[in-house]
Amino acid sequence: MSAASSASLATPDLDAAADVIELASSVVGKGVRHLAANGGPDVHQVLAYDLAHASAQVETARALLDYGGKGATEAAITCAFTADMVHDLITRIAGREAAWGLEVAPLRAAHPFLEQFRSPEFVASLAQTPGDRHLDDEFEMVADTFRSFAEKVIKPHAEHVHRHNADVPEEIITGLAEMGAFGLSVPAEYGGFSEGGDGEYIGMVVATEELSRGSLGIGGSLITRPEILTRALVKGGTEAQKLEWLPKLAVAEVMPAVAVTEPDYGSDVAGIKVTATEATGPNGEPGYVINGVKTWCTLGARGDVLALLARTDPDRTKTHRGLSLFIVPKPRGEGHGFQFVQDVTANGVQGKMEGRAIDTIGYRGMHSYEVALENWWVPADNLVGGPDGLGKGFYLQMAGFENGRLQTAARAVGVMQAAYEAALDYAENRKVFGQPIMDYQLTQVKLGRMAVLTQAGRQFAYAVARMMAKGEGTAEAAMVKAYVCKAAEWVTREAMQIHGGMGYAEEFTVSRLFVDARVLSIFEGADETLCLKVIARTLVANANAA
């Protein structure tokens, strides 16, 4: 008899799960208060990092409680994740109780719950029951539409693009544009599909997951390119800029690449060096010349414009307050390198732009570039926000990145779902020692945990989307990215492990999913930076204000 059919399975208990979540929350709260009273995140980085991730897991569990009330499978997933969360929290604390300001074994009261819902039999029972998403009908339609496109258009290209480090096929960009994927965040009055409300963010999360399930590099991450610039324009662009650029972004007439990171400044955006200096262009037109080097500029060749953050105030002591955001038009390039020379001159000097692709182990298709700009001129009209936008580029850029964190969590969920499905299919069909590997308890437990982590990440992403639609959820957006992206590494690794030697072969999709998942904790805000500079600081600030 398989483990999943055991008659001794625990009955899900949501009241007990809620009590355990509150206990875990109180333990994390004590740790946060201890951190706040003893120097904060900059002094105790390991503690701050652990507290950030622990808090993210607690909030993920809390977000599952409502989901757990929608059925027996949903309740089982909620209990299984809650037990998993507490187990992780115990391992973070063990041996470091003094650093957390805690007594030994502060979660001992949760042990009976863990014994029930971490039991191999209980987790194994979830191997083939990933749970319903419980979306409203309109979002189920969104999911169906984007899943169909991913299956029919994205997946047939995914392996070729990955193995040959090829470019995103234009068929995918055109197809997504026709579906309106690039206009999901563009307000309806500017030619997009956004009308505000809860649905705006949920729709983006659902679409991103389904596209990422087909491919992270040529699917789920593609729609984020215009999203970041769109958010910045909506937040701080002039009316003329919105009328000029938003309709073009909505239909992919203009595809942007984001140029923020520099060789010496990654997550430390406030320190960037690339300069934008006032310079007269053709016919005396006011503008700026841009000089310096940007790196990790995804879609840098194919992009029609760069959403570029530059230093407009030479006083570097102003840090982020001296930065401004520009829309920088450029020709389209192909392949892994490009060189452009401007037809116009500024102050009699001709502008140049050169880019080279940075080869990566995964996340291929759009390519990330190092881009060098030399006296590249842009009109003053392309300063986002106009004169009022001077010095506000950092805030405008962050408005785009904040939603990028939520989208990255949705991408991670899509990759996890693809990995789970591939592992389940392989386990049901592959025989070892005379029986399908699905019959083995160890395989079932791995698949059960995959299903639980994936659904938990999905439901937390939905919860954060609803917060962001209300103008809230900044810290939670960082939390959902921090937790789900780390979970994706485990899920894809174990999916590969279930495939055995074939999981290491490029002909099986799981090898691509594994290397793609690894980037998720790095881009859109490195995990360490998000934990220390956003999540932990927010936790400490809230503790001090209480």
Side-chain angles (χ1 to χ4, degrees):
M1 181 175 63
S2 71
S5 62
S6 171
S8 61
L9 296 180
T11 301
D13 187 340
L14 291 180
D15 289 337
D19 289 343
V20 168
I21 291 167
E22 287 309 310
L23 174 62
S25 180
S26 69
V27 168
V28 171
K30 289 179 182 177
V32 170
R33 290 191 291 275
H34 188 75
L35 174 66
N38 291 277
D42 293 334
V43 176
H44 300 288
Q45 292 187 342
V46 172
L47 173 59
Y49 181 81
D50 281 346
L51 283 166
H53 267 287
S55 181
Q57 287 179 269
V58 169
E59 293 309 311
T60 303
R62 198 189 309 278
L64 269 181
L65 285 173
D66 180 65
Y67 176 78
K70 295 176 179 176
T73 297
E74 293 83 350
I77 288 171
T78 301
C79 288
F81 181 82
T82 300
D84 196 89
M85 174 271 291
V86 174
H87 169 262
D88 280 0
L89 181 54
I90 289 171
T91 61
R92 290 182 189 280
I93 294 170
R96 293 178 176 174
E97 290 87 355
W100 285 60
L102 299 169
E103 72 280 7
V104 174
L107 290 154
R108 65 175 70 87
H111 281 212
F113 185 89
L114 266 66
E115 288 176 356
Q116 287 183 296
F117 300 112
R118 283 202 78 240
S119 74
E121 292 77 15
F122 186 80
V123 179
S125 74
L126 299 170
Q128 294 169 287
T129 55
D132 195 300
R133 291 182 296 192
H134 290 289
L135 288 169
D136 293 341
D137 289 346
E138 63 178 305
F139 297 120
E140 284 289 0
M141 188 178 301
V142 170
D144 290 344
T145 299
F146 282 95
R147 185 184 307 119
S148 176
F149 183 82
E151 290 287 339
K152 294 176 182 177
V153 183
I154 293 175
K155 275 191 175 181
H157 291 288
E159 293 304 319
H160 173 81
V161 170
H162 172 68
R163 292 191 214 175
H164 298 278
N165 203 17
D167 297 340
V168 176
E170 287 297 319
E171 173 189 5
I172 294 175
I173 296 175
T174 301
L176 287 174
E178 291 173 352
M179 293 169 65
F182 300 121
L184 291 174
S185 296
V186 175
E189 61 265 34
Y190 299 105
F193 298 95
S194 171
E195 296 181 351
D198 291 358
E200 177 181 343
Y201 287 87
I202 291 282
M204 179 64 74
V205 165
V206 170
T208 299
E209 177 189 336
E210 293 299 342
L211 294 173
S212 300
R213 185 170 157 269
S215 168
L216 179 68
I218 61 174
S221 288
L222 190 60
I223 62 175
T224 307
R225 299 313 104 195
E227 166 82 6
I228 292 173
L229 179 54
T230 293
R231 294 279 177 189
L233 284 167
V234 169
K235 183 175 180 68
T238 66
E239 185 62 22
Q241 288 169 342
K242 293 175 184 177
L243 290 168
E244 168 71 16
W245 295 105
L246 290 177
K248 295 176 181 178
L249 292 169
V251 298
E253 179 182 341
V254 167
M255 281 294 288
V258 178
V260 173
T261 303
E262 297 180 7
D264 295 326
Y265 297 94
S267 297
D268 183 14
V269 174
I272 65 173
K273 295 180 181 178
V274 168
T275 60
T277 308
E278 288 187 80
T280 303
N283 302 315
E285 185 179 354
Y288 294 81
V289 288
I290 299 173
N291 285 279
V293 178
K294 293 291 185 180
T295 193
W296 297 112
C297 180
T298 304
L299 205 68
R302 170 59 177 79
D304 302 292
V305 299
L306 304 179
L308 185 142
L309 193 63
R311 186 165 298 284
T312 46
D313 192 319
D315 183 358
R316 293 184 57 81
T317 63
K318 292 186 177 179
T319 60
H320 64 279
R321 295 183 300 277
L323 306 178
S324 303
L325 183 63
F326 292 86
I327 300 172
V328 181
K330 58 173 284 295
R332 288 184 184 177
E334 295 181 0
H336 293 189
F338 58 84
Q339 289 182 317
F340 303 127
V341 177
Q342 278 187 309
D343 294 331
V344 302
T345 61
N347 296 337
V349 179
Q350 202 166 33
K352 299 177 182 178
M353 181 187 298
E354 182 175 353
R356 67 167 187 88
I358 303 167
D359 287 335
T360 55
I361 61 172
Y363 189 52
R364 295 170 174 172
M366 291 186 291
H367 313 302
S368 291
Y369 292 80
E370 184 169 275
V371 180
L373 302 100
E374 183 180 342
N375 295 310
W376 192 269
W377 185 81
V378 294
D381 288 344
N382 288 29
L383 167 62
V384 176
D388 290 340
L390 279 172
K392 297 179 181 177
F394 177 84
Y395 305 100
L396 297 175
Q397 191 70 65
M398 291 304 109
F401 280 171
E402 184 176 297
N403 190 45
R405 292 168 187 165
L406 174 60
Q407 280 187 296
T408 301
R411 296 177 206 163
V413 171
V415 172
M416 292 160 78
Q417 184 67 32
Y420 166 74
E421 291 171 359
L424 178 63
D425 179 71
Y426 192 83
E428 290 174 336
N429 291 286
R430 170 69 169 168
K431 289 188 176 181
V432 175
F433 302 117
Q435 64 186 104
I437 59 175
M438 186 64 194
D439 289 351
Y440 293 98
Q441 184 192 59
L442 184 57
T443 304
Q444 293 173 22
V445 170
K446 288 183 177 186
L447 286 165
R449 188 168 189 250
M450 287 181 198
V452 168
L453 298 189
T454 302
Q455 190 63 256
R458 177 183 292 121
Q459 295 301 321
F460 190 28
Y462 292 169
V464 174
R466 296 184 186 101
M467 293 179 199
M468 294 186 72
K470 299 174 183 176
E472 305 168 354
T474 298
E476 288 81 2
M479 286 181 183
V480 71
K481 180 192 183 298
Y483 174 68
V484 180
C485 292
K486 295 292 282 187
E489 293 180 30
W490 183 88
V491 168
T492 54
R493 180 195 181 281
E494 291 306 314
M496 178 187 280
Q497 190 70 26
I498 285 173
H499 281 71
M502 298 311 298
Y504 202 63
E506 282 198 331
E507 65 185 271
F508 278 78
T509 301
V510 288
S511 64
R512 168 172 58 85
L513 298 175
F514 177 68
V515 293
D516 280 356
R518 189 60 196 88
V519 77
L520 293 166
S521 289
I522 298 173
F523 68 6
E524 302 290 357
D527 183 53
E528 293 78 7
T529 300
L530 279 186
C531 286
L532 298 180
K533 302 296 186 182
V534 179
I535 302 173
R537 284 187 176 181
T538 300
L539 294 172
V540 166
N542 291 342
N544 288 332

